[in-house]
Amino acid sequence: MRISRLFAALLASLVPTALARSSTGDKVLVVMEPTLKAEDYSLFFNNLRSRGFELFFRAPNEKMPTTMSYDIPQFSHIIMFTPTAKNLEADVGPQALFTLLKENPSTNILVALSPKRTPMSDFAAEFAIGLPPPNTPLISHFPARSSPHTQLIINSPSKPHPLLSKNLPPVLFEGQAHLLGDNPLLFPILNAPVESFSTDGTEDRRADSVVEAADKGGEGLWAGSKMSVVSGFQATNGARVAFVGGVKLFSDEFAKAEVTPGKRSGNGQLAQDIAAWTFQETLVYKVESATHFLEKDESRTEPETYTINDRVTFTMEISQFDPIQNKYLPKSDIQDLQLEFTMLDPHIRTGIPAVADKPGKYSVTFRAPDRHGVFKFVVNHKRKGFTPLQVAMPVAVVPPRHDGYPRFLSAAWPYYIGAISTSVGFIFFCIVYLGAESATERKRKEKGKNKVE
């Protein structure tokens, strides 16, 4: 009996470790409109469950389960499969979702767009995503195929983003493409084919609305690889949003389909990659610690002030989340980490190399500038799709104390020699002058004495 209890306790302690995969949480709210059936996306949902996520389903116009309760988020991740829903409850509306992302860095959202104009179209516009006119799906007539021209075969990029799996097979896509604006936090994950374009039908002669919109808006033709079908948004607070141009990308139909005879599509793997990145399983960095100290200080304590021209050492430790082990592990291969020592403007900008034989540790030593004031150690590492690494540590740089200056300055020797030579000359002059006066007085006295005699 005691052995069975110990075994049960051990099993209970291992289950969370085996299942928990996200760095922010495992509760997922799936908002799915009634026209869609969960069993048509069973491969995608079952994959999430197998990775330890707990799924909760609700319709767009239902109130429960709610996303917030007493200003506390109830879910770590939200999936919006609402391609045609016009009416959404307030807690899953565009403004509510935007506020949720802004105030809760552990919240992530996966959005499926569509050629229909819905509230999610307005939500995408908040992130500088431009959408073609309504009811203009993406089509391509190449390569020749028996399937509808609205079903595109998209090859993996030649230089895929690190969030995508290597050697990803071609994927099937049906939906609407979009353009990325000037938002620096927005980046493409999968671009549209070069020969594709958006139109209001499956034939070229029915692209009147697109041409008219291009003439009026000056946006140019909605065509080519400048458009994206899957995009990501990495917020500075760590929250993530993924926009997918069509919900069918996650369907069992596309996941089981063959792009060429005998070759299965990569939709299943792509859907897994998108969810893993969105739910903060991959490309998640964290600053474990950051400190600074004098190079000659063996205790490595952080001083309150530095003196100008001091040799200063800055070190930091960085880790990356490992979804398999469900913990952060040291990260030592970041090549472009940079430190700025700033006072309004950077006075020093230098790279921070990794320390050999010390996993996850980065260190750099530099000379404090010859200027006093309040400075900051600043690390602001932002890369598209990666969790930002941000450090800001203020410190004062002061002039030397009155007894901190050297007794003699080598650069002042000309002045020293000038002062010494002047003093020596003055003394020599005094000696000569006084000596000459004494000799003259003696001669005068002797001359007077001779006259008396």
Side-chain angles (χ1 to χ4, degrees):
M1 187 68 178
R2 182 177 300 175
I3 295 177
S4 62
R5 288 181 179 178
L6 290 175
F7 179 76
L10 178 61
L11 182 62
S13 64
L14 291 178
V15 167
T17 304
L19 296 180
R21 301 288 296 275
S22 174
S23 61
T24 59
D26 303 320
K27 295 181 65 176
V28 182
L29 175 64
V30 182
V31 182
M32 177 177 287
E33 61 184 55
T35 57
L36 300 179
K37 297 180 180 180
E39 53 267 24
D40 293 336
Y41 303 86
S42 60
L43 293 178
F44 174 64
F45 292 140
N46 289 336
N47 179 267
L48 293 179
R49 292 189 180 96
S50 67
R51 284 151 50 191
F53 291 101
E54 188 178 3
L55 305 183
F56 299 83
F57 291 82
R58 60 172 274 193
N61 56 356
E62 293 180 350
K63 295 184 178 181
M64 298 300 292
T66 182
T67 58
M68 298 282 290
S69 179
Y70 299 101
D71 294 332
I72 299 176
Q74 300 300 299
F75 299 93
S76 301
H77 320 287
I78 300 176
I79 299 177
M80 297 296 296
F81 280 180
T82 57
T84 61
K86 296 289 186 180
N87 299 319
L88 301 175
E89 277 297 317
D91 64 328
V92 292
Q95 192 59 43
L97 294 179
F98 188 81
T99 303
L100 188 64
L101 288 170
K102 183 178 179 180
E103 298 179 354
N104 301 280
S106 60
T107 301
N108 312 286
I109 302 177
L110 174 60
V111 180
L113 303 172
S114 76
K116 303 289 185 181
R117 187 53 54 92
T118 66
M120 287 296 98
S121 303
D122 299 331
F123 180 69
E126 296 285 347
F127 299 86
I129 289 181
L131 298 174
N135 302 316
T136 54
L138 187 69
I139 73 168
S140 175
H141 301 301
F142 302 96
R145 58 194 184 278
S146 58
S147 59
H149 290 174
T150 54
Q151 291 186 9
L152 284 71
I153 299 176
I154 304 178
N155 294 318
S156 176
S158 57
K159 295 182 179 180
H161 193 278
L163 70 89
L164 294 178
S165 300
K166 296 181 179 179
N167 302 320
L168 181 69
V171 299
L172 292 175
F173 175 80
E174 181 177 337
Q176 187 179 49
H178 50 267
L179 290 175
L180 305 186
D182 297 331
N183 195 324
L185 305 178
L186 197 63
F187 65 98
I189 298 176
L190 187 65
N191 290 329
V194 176
E195 69 278 1
S196 63
F197 60 95
S198 296
T199 179
D200 54 353
T202 59
E203 299 179 3
D204 297 342
R205 65 175 181 269
R206 296 188 58 193
D208 298 336
S209 62
V210 179
V211 175
E212 183 180 354
D215 292 339
K216 291 181 179 180
E219 297 173 331
L221 184 63
W222 297 83
S225 58
K226 66 179 180 180
M227 298 189 298
S228 297
V229 296
V230 182
S231 302
F233 180 87
Q234 172 66 71
T236 55
N237 64 356
R240 292 177 175 179
V241 187
F243 296 94
V244 182
V247 70
K248 291 194 70 175
L249 184 144
F250 301 94
S251 66
D252 294 353
E253 176 188 355
F254 279 9
K256 297 177 180 178
E258 294 183 350
V259 290
T260 57
K263 186 175 183 179
R264 203 168 184 177
S265 73
N267 285 62
Q269 185 60 50
L270 177 61
Q272 181 177 343
D273 292 342
I274 295 173
W277 176 83
T278 307
F279 297 164
Q280 298 197 35
E281 296 179 53
T282 59
L283 306 185
V284 180
Y285 292 167
K286 183 174 69 171
V287 177
E288 296 289 351
S289 64
T291 185
H292 55 86
F293 50 88
L294 288 170
E295 181 185 23
K296 59 184 179 181
D297 185 9
E298 297 182 357
S299 63
R300 297 189 175 187
T301 56
E302 291 187 7
E304 296 182 357
T305 61
Y306 289 103
T307 305
I308 58 175
N309 297 324
D310 274 347
R311 296 288 295 177
V312 181
T313 298
F314 177 84
T315 63
M316 63 186 304
E317 295 182 355
I318 300 174
S319 60
Q320 181 178 10
F321 182 73
D322 186 349
I324 298 178
Q325 301 187 39
N326 190 32
K327 64 179 181 180
Y328 284 89
L329 301 178
K331 178 73 172 177
S332 299
D333 58 353
I334 301 178
Q335 304 295 331
D336 53 356
L337 200 60
Q338 183 174 274
L339 170 69
E340 292 181 348
F341 197 58
T342 68
M343 184 172 64
L344 298 181
D345 295 320
H347 284 58
I348 294 175
R349 181 182 288 123
T350 180
I352 313 178
V355 179
D357 301 329
K358 293 185 178 180
K361 187 174 183 178
Y362 298 78
S363 180
V364 64
T365 300
F366 62 93
R367 183 177 64 84
D370 191 7
R371 183 176 181 181
H372 60 274
V374 179
F375 286 79
K376 283 198 304 184
F377 296 92
V378 177
V379 176
N380 191 16
H381 185 272
K382 295 179 181 178
R383 299 296 180 267
K384 295 182 182 295
F386 293 82
T387 304
L389 298 173
Q390 296 176 311
V391 175
M393 306 176 69
V395 68
V397 177
V398 299
R401 289 171 48 88
H402 66 282
D403 57 352
Y405 292 95
R407 181 64 64 184
F408 296 101
L409 301 177
S410 59
W413 274 111
Y415 304 98
Y416 298 155
I417 295 174
I420 294 172
S421 61
T422 301
S423 302
V424 172
F426 177 74
I427 294 172
F428 179 76
F429 172 79
C430 292
I431 294 173
V432 172
Y433 180 80
L434 295 175
E437 184 179 1
S438 299
T440 303
E441 185 67 23
R442 189 182 312 110
K443 289 180 179 180
R444 187 183 298 116
K445 290 180 179 180
E446 290 178 356
K447 190 175 181 180
K449 184 177 179 181
N450 294 334
K451 287 182 179 182
V452 172
E453 292 176 354

